[in-house]
Amino acid sequence: MSGHSPAIRRRAIRTGNWLALEAPTNPLRLARLTAACCAIALLCSTAALEARPRHAAKATRHSAVQHTRHLPYPRLELPLQISGSQYEPLAWTDMPGWSDDDHLAAYKAFRASCRPIAAEHGLPSESKALGTSLRDPCRIAKGLELTDEAKAKAFFEEHFLPLRISRLGEGEGFVTGYYEPVLDGSRTQTDVYNVPVYRRPSNLFVRGAKQSSSGLPNKGQVFRKIGRRKLVPYYDRAEIEDGVIAGRGLEICWLKEQTDLLFAQIQGSARVRFEDGSTLRINYDAHNGYPYTPVGRILIDRGIVPKEQMSMQKIRDWMAQNPDGAKELRRQNRSYVFFREVQLSDKDEAVGAQGVPLTPGRSIAVDKALHVYGTPFFIEGELPIESEQSKTPFRRLMIAQDTGSAIVGPARADLYFGAGADAGKVSGRLRHSMRFVMLVPRSLDPVARGRRMPVPDERPSEKIAKLFPQTDPKEKSAAKPVDASAASGAQAASVARPVPLPERRPGIKAGDERRHRHFRHHRYYR
């Protein structure tokens, strides 16, 4: 109503929150309120402008976390890794002679190795590529006594995968042969039998092995203990042959010739046949710590026996014809093996390093540092089995059950042929290249594991590489040339040192930064 008195105060209608202030109608109060609103608006806009970079940086960091790979990489099961080797997955049909082999004989040898494997618990003492993966197929084989060859073949194909394996850069492996000699001997020393076979001395220590162990490793540092604390290298072959440990009650038995003892030490076991018809079985127990030197290699290097004609029989014949030279040749091999007596009958085969009886034609010695006992290997090629000149096809599934100091490498094996002179003749002429296929449990399928491996980060572009060089151009240009005389004629090259990374920015506590900014705004707008 236009006729109302000015004294009557008009109130604005509240259309918003009931807690909001009523709209003033007094011009002075309206001016003050307008000024206050402008100040608040300016303050809010400034805070919004400063908050925008922080929000953008936070969003950028969040986006980076979403689109970059977390470092370090997550722990994944790596593919099969055997030091110094290369391998290639195969199909069973890619293995010549696989279907023609006697898989039942191989299965029986594998099942013998499975007895100690299936009983294992916990992690192995030494980390190897196969680890504990053989336990699953071994526990299945333990309760599966097969009598059918087809089922044995199906067992290996169901639980294993074939991988062709060789030393890195090589296409084939290498095999030799070994056997158990049968030697004539005596329990007492006589004029005929005067070469002692020693057991392990009590003052011999192998670093990392307990003195009470039944068999000490054939690798590692070996010492002779003097007094309570002093350790020195043990006696070598020459000192032992000269009688330095004689008369201490260490003699197990006596042999005819030092050559017989040498070959028993090379093979790692022997059967000593006495005049009364009884037989004593001896097996490797320890060594004196010196590296094994093949006497056959010395004869080849000296040009005495051609390499293509070398065999154990050639070595034995030469030693028999040259007694003085044989003594000097033996002592070039400073390694010496000590034996222990084992309770085996004449019908029992020698026991390998795994602790199970070996199977002639199915057991092999492998590099213990790389392979696990019980691993099946399919070895394929040609060997002089029937005669020195023959090339007999050899395509056979073998089981790793033994080791030897000269057996080194991923595709290196010593084939066991049994006991006696005939086995010695065959094994003595084996020094041949062969192809190796290792059977790996399916739980270690390298193809399946490879698919789960993270893809490496992309290489930086050429432009980025130029912007962030890995070497300092100033140091590269200022590098002084190497004196030609000091370099012995070689071309001098300057090596630039890597550019050090910039120092990290000093850390600023988030709380202090917020207080500082709040105080600055308060002071500015007060």
Side-chain angles (χ1 to χ4, degrees), residues 471-473 475-482 491-497:
T471 55
D472 190 351
E475 291 190 9
K476 182 177 291 186
S477 60
K480 296 181 179 180
V482 181
Q491 184 178 5
S494 61
V495 180
R497 291 179 296 177

Side-chain angles (χ1 to χ4, degrees), residues 90-99 103 153-163 378 397 437-440 442:
L90 299 176
W92 298 107
T93 54
D94 296 333
M95 300 164 54
W98 167 256
S99 299
H103 298 88
K153 177 174 176 288
F155 171 84
F156 288 111
E157 293 180 351
E158 180 181 355
H159 298 286
F160 292 91
L161 294 170
L163 299 179
F378 186 75
L397 184 59
V437 176
M438 182 172 67
L439 270 58
V440 178
R442 287 188 174 271

Side-chain angles (χ1 to χ4, degrees), residues 507-519:
I508 301 176
K509 294 183 179 180
D512 296 340
E513 185 180 7
R514 287 195 296 270
R515 287 195 296 271
H516 174 70
R517 288 179 175 175
H518 176 71
F519 175 75

